[in-house]
Each structure stands twice: as C-alpha cells, then as structure tokens.
Amino acid sequence: LATISTHLSADRLDRLRMYFDRWAGPIVAVIYLRDVAREQPAVDRLVKSLRAKRRRNFLLIAAAARDPGLYPANLLRNLALAPVETELVFFLDVDLIPDPGFYAYLAGRGDELRAMAETRVFTVPAFQVTSPLEADLPVDQADLEELMGRGAARPILSGKGEFWEAFSCLNYDRW
C-alpha cells in the first residue's frame, strides 16, 4: 500500500533502524556515504541485522559522495523515489520517526486512501520531543497528548526563531 522513501547520511543510521522497528511496510532509503571505506561496514551490518530478523521489504541504496562537503538532497530524494512500487509514497525526513501503528492504520484504510489519492496529496502532522531517547518517543496519540501536556512535545518547528511557516498549513487543533 505505502512505502517510506527517505535519504540520510551514514551518521543517521540509528534513525533508519528506528524506522524498521516502527514501520511494517516497505522502506526505500538512500544512504549518502561521505567516506565509503569507513561508513560502508555500518550499512552492511544493518543489512545483515535486517536479514537476520527476516525483514525483506526494504531497499537500501548506498550513494558514494563525489564531494563530501555537499549533501545533494534533491538528487537523493529522487533516487529514493525511483524504485518505489507501491501506490502511495510517504516521503519522510529521516529525523521524523513514524508512529509504530501508522502502517497498520493506513492498511486498514487502503481502499479509502487509494480513492482519495487520485486527487489529493496528504500531509501528516509532525511533532518534536525534548528527549533524544527512543524509549521516550510516543507510541500513539494518547501518549503524544500526555507528553504535550507536560511540555515534553510540541508541533515541529513551532518555537521562537524556528521556521513555523513551513508547517503552519497543518491543522494541529483538528488533529
């Protein structure tokens, strides 16, 4: 039904591992390697770990940097989109970790989403948490609301000096 399509540098592999723990659907990720000799072994270990867990619905593409000082985001995004075979694509920045129940939620509404996707683009509200620990990430809406009530989570980029305009089109109150 839906594939996560993302790109990242090798120093963000920990985030990609979280994707595999929290998203049951297919994932296509382009991993930008600035130093192939140093970074490729970590990618190989990730693939070995995923295969040991019998995870098969993924494609990881290693892209060697021509200029390690640059990060060609548009090119990497397009490389991650090209092999996607599902009807829906979830473009996701690797720092935005999906809700563990999101794929099941989408799968339960497959026919409805397919019909709506003919004429719509979907946006998903994004939130940031104050803790960098995976164990502190919310697992559902009630958990997120509890974190927000404590001030430990808020809509993404909604703080002073942040670029709220990029996300202000989302109706967080309705959510």
Side-chain angles (χ1 to χ4, degrees), residues 38-144:
R38 187 177 56 81
E39 296 169 335
Q40 185 67 51
V43 174
D44 294 342
R45 282 191 302 278
L46 173 60
V47 170
K48 185 176 181 179
S49 169
L50 293 170
R51 288 185 176 149
K53 295 177 183 177
R54 305 258 189 247
R55 183 75 188 241
R56 300 280 187 253
N57 58 346
F58 68 92
L59 175 63
L60 302 182
I61 301 167
R66 286 190 180 161
D67 180 348
L70 299 177
Y71 187 85
N74 291 334
L75 173 65
L76 299 174
R77 182 197 59 238
N78 292 340
L79 287 172
L81 175 61
V84 171
E85 296 179 355
T86 56
E87 298 164 281
L88 302 175
V89 180
F90 190 35
F91 286 111
L92 196 58
D93 182 289
V94 77
D95 288 324
L96 298 175
I97 308 301
D99 178 296
F102 191 52
Y103 186 78
Y105 173 84
L106 294 176
R109 288 156 183 78
D111 291 338
E112 176 186 359
L113 290 171
R114 283 182 195 93
M116 291 184 345
E118 294 291 325
T119 59
R120 293 179 176 88
V121 172
F122 304 101
T123 58
V124 179
F127 298 86
Q128 59 194 70
V129 296
T130 56
S131 172
L133 302 176
E134 181 180 358
D136 294 334
L137 293 176
V139 296
D140 57 24
Q141 185 172 348
D143 203 17
L144 177 60

